[in-house]
Amino acid sequence: MQLKDNKRTIWSWAMFDWANSAYNLVITTTIFPAYYTAITANNGTHKVDFFGHTFINTALADYALAAAYLIIALMLPVLTAIADFRGNKKVFMQFFTLIGAISCGLLFFFNKNNIEMGIICFAMAAIGYCGGFVFYNSYLPQIASLEMQDKVSAKGFTYGYIGSVLLQLICFAFVLKPDWFGITDVSLPPRLSFLLVGVWWIAFAQIPFAILPKGAPNAQSHHKNIIKGGFAELGKVWKKIGQMPLLKKFLPAFFFYSMGVQTVMLVATSFGAKELGLPQEALIAIILIIQLVAIGGAILMSRLAVKFGNVRILLFVVMLWVVVCVCAYFITTATQFYILATLVGLVMGGIQSLSRSTYSKYLPQNIPDTASFFSFFDVTEKLAIVGGLFSFGFIEELSGSMRNSTLALCVYFAIGLVLLFVLLSAEKKHNKNADFSAV
């Protein structure tokens, strides 16, 4: 069976996004942040104790996510190198999926009396999500030809948005209409939602696990020690990346604009709840708007990239992100937040999809496995999240306002813009030289 551009294989790959994006929407974006903020309000003080230390509740959640992303950033380069060395990246996908799904399920037991347990499970779910995603991303150049990668990448994100919205609607039925189900405990609907995410995640992940190829080992022999072979593979990939001028320029740009993008996505619900005092129903509607618009954003940007080029569209989208951050500083009403959410949805889907396919296009298209190459992409993103979340939480604790933290993100986007202009110039020169060589 032909692997590249095979419809069944691409569908199964996209279903992994369908499976795990429910975590990203319910746990990091909507129901968990609202539930966590509510149970840790402490009569308006927003202070919580965590193993004997006192934090602002939202800052603690930011620090926990930052720690999770730092752990995964340190682990993944070695794990992906081992996966390439052994050709078993699907096993790692399964392992991290299990960690994430179980952690979400355990959040069913989270309440104000066991903050430590809840925060730890929250962080472990993030590790499971991020760990599985890097191996999932690494399949892109393996299952899609160069000219199809923008479209296939957008399809993955589209499936993710649709799947997550479907489960979100199911969860909302419990949260908004608990009397329909005879539920009287107000904490049960959100906790039940966390359990449903774990079940949804592990159940639908069985589709890609059954259909996607296992991967091909990059090593000629398996007589080496696995860890030693993993580090050796990692060293080879690092040297190859150093010889790819466009890839070397793209990664720093991706790092800086991701510091802003990922942070905005992770703190949007908390911002609406704390700075604007929006009720849970309004936050739910806003997040649904973001997810639905993001579907169109991913498709639209992939089509524009065909016409104008990936880097030019990335430049345009990053400029829009600067507008988002500046507007967020000044907004005061729910209507303004709704309008801003629409813009966030448009640029969120576009920048995620295009970033992945742009990186994939810069990679060699004939290597047997790509997990190690994609680990650098994912580690760059995770370190960006660590820096973005930590600085966001730190500025909030320092200034007492999430608005100041949001405005500060403009600095990261500005640096990303400059580096994208440098990449665009290098790409033009590269393409001109390639055309000249072909003559």
Side-chain angles (χ1 to χ4, degrees):
M1 181 182 72
Q2 181 185 354
L3 181 60
K4 286 198 175 185
D5 301 337
N6 179 273
K7 290 183 178 180
R8 183 169 180 264
T9 303
I10 290 172
W11 168 76
S12 70
W13 177 81
M15 285 303 295
F16 189 77
D17 218 325
W18 173 290
N20 68 7
S21 288
Y23 152 82
N24 213 18
L25 182 57
V26 176
I27 304 298
T28 65
T29 312
T30 57
I31 296 179
F32 180 87
Y35 173 76
Y36 171 72
T37 302
I39 68 171
T40 57
N42 289 332
N43 298 318
T45 64
H46 302 292
K47 297 281 188 178
V48 292
D49 290 326
F50 185 72
F51 290 113
H53 298 276
T54 302
F55 298 89
I56 293 177
N57 54 0
T58 47
L60 175 61
D62 291 342
Y63 294 152
L65 273 183
Y69 289 128
L70 180 60
I71 290 170
I72 206 71
L74 295 174
M75 290 171 54
L76 280 181
V78 177
L79 293 182
T80 51
I82 293 171
D84 275 352
F85 176 70
R86 296 295 299 268
N88 62 348
K89 61 186 177 185
K90 189 193 290 188
V91 173
F92 284 98
M93 279 179 69
Q94 294 168 322
F95 171 72
F96 281 107
T97 296
L98 193 61
I99 289 176
I102 290 174
S103 298
C104 289
L106 289 174
L107 284 174
F108 176 79
F109 303 100
F110 176 40
N111 57 51
K112 63 181 180 181
N113 298 317
N114 52 14
I115 297 296
E116 290 84 359
M117 186 276 286
I119 290 295
I120 289 171
C121 287
F122 177 56
M124 289 299 296
I127 289 174
Y129 173 77
C130 298
F133 218 83
V134 64
F135 296 101
Y136 162 74
N137 282 340
S138 71
Y139 273 103
L140 181 57
Q142 189 177 350
I143 66 171
S145 58
L146 189 64
E147 60 274 12
M148 286 288 292
Q149 286 174 15
D150 285 336
K151 184 177 180 180
V152 172
S153 179
K155 183 173 185 175
F157 278 107
T158 299
Y159 269 53
Y161 293 134
I162 295 173
S164 60
V165 167
L166 284 177
L167 181 61
Q168 182 78 94
L169 291 173
I170 296 171
C171 294
F172 285 167
F174 291 104
V175 172
L176 300 180
K177 297 293 181 181
D179 52 298
W180 287 359
F181 308 95
I183 297 174
T184 56
D185 179 358
V186 294
S187 73
L188 182 57
R191 293 188 294 111
L192 188 59
S193 299
F194 308 151
L195 179 61
L196 286 175
V197 169
V199 174
W200 178 282
W201 192 348
I202 197 71
F204 281 106
Q206 301 311 309
I207 295 173
F209 292 159
I211 297 175
L212 286 176
K214 293 180 179 180
N218 286 347
Q220 296 297 317
S221 166
H222 287 184
H223 295 302
K224 292 182 183 178
N225 176 275
I226 293 177
I227 302 295
K228 184 179 178 181
F231 275 108
E233 188 67 30
L234 187 64
K236 291 177 185 176
V237 172
W238 178 251
K239 287 182 179 178
K240 289 177 182 177
I241 288 178
Q243 297 167 3
M244 301 175 189
L246 296 181
L247 199 62
K248 279 200 306 181
K249 287 181 172 61
F250 172 71
L251 282 173
F254 174 68
F255 172 79
F256 280 103
Y257 71 68
S258 290
M259 288 180 78
V261 171
Q262 299 298 329
T263 303
V264 169
M265 289 164 53
L266 292 169
V267 303
T269 302
S270 298
F271 182 92
K274 285 184 71 174
E275 295 295 330
L276 301 177
L278 298 179
Q280 190 175 53
E281 293 80 3
L283 292 171
I284 287 170
I286 287 166
I287 297 304
L288 278 177
I289 288 172
I290 291 175
Q291 294 298 119
L292 292 172
V293 175
I295 297 172
I299 297 171
L300 174 64
M301 297 306 169
S302 70
R303 290 179 178 176
L304 289 175
V306 173
K307 186 174 181 179
F308 299 103
N310 288 37
V311 180
R312 287 187 179 87
I313 301 304
L314 282 173
L315 277 165
F316 170 69
V317 173
V318 173
M319 289 177 188
L320 289 180
W321 274 105
V322 175
V323 173
V324 166
C325 290
V326 173
C327 289
Y329 181 82
F330 292 102
I331 62 173
T332 56
T333 68
T335 301
Q336 292 170 342
F337 200 48
Y338 275 103
I339 296 171
L340 192 62
T342 304
L343 180 57
V344 167
L346 180 66
V347 293
M348 180 179 77
I351 201 164
Q352 288 182 300
S353 175
L354 270 186
S355 295
R356 178 168 65 186
S357 61
T358 301
Y359 182 82
S360 182
K361 285 182 174 183
Y362 287 151
L363 290 179
Q365 299 296 305
N366 56 355
I367 50 180
D369 219 335
T370 52
S372 293
F373 278 99
F374 264 92
S375 76
F376 284 94
F377 175 77
D378 281 81
V379 166
T380 299
E381 183 182 57
K382 301 308 172 283
L383 290 176
I385 294 172
V386 171
L389 281 175
F390 182 83
S391 63
F392 194 94
F394 181 75
I395 293 172
E396 183 191 357
E397 288 208 294
L398 202 64
S399 67
S401 172
M402 296 179 81
R403 292 179 186 271
N404 296 326
S405 300
T406 304
L407 192 61
L409 295 178
C410 290
V411 175
Y412 304 139
F413 285 119
I415 297 172
L417 274 174
V418 172
L419 294 174
L420 281 174
F421 275 114
V422 172
L423 173 62
L424 182 62
S425 177
E427 190 175 67
K428 288 178 180 177
K429 184 177 180 181
H430 175 82
N431 292 338
K432 184 177 179 181
N433 291 337
D435 292 341
F436 180 77
S437 300
V439 175

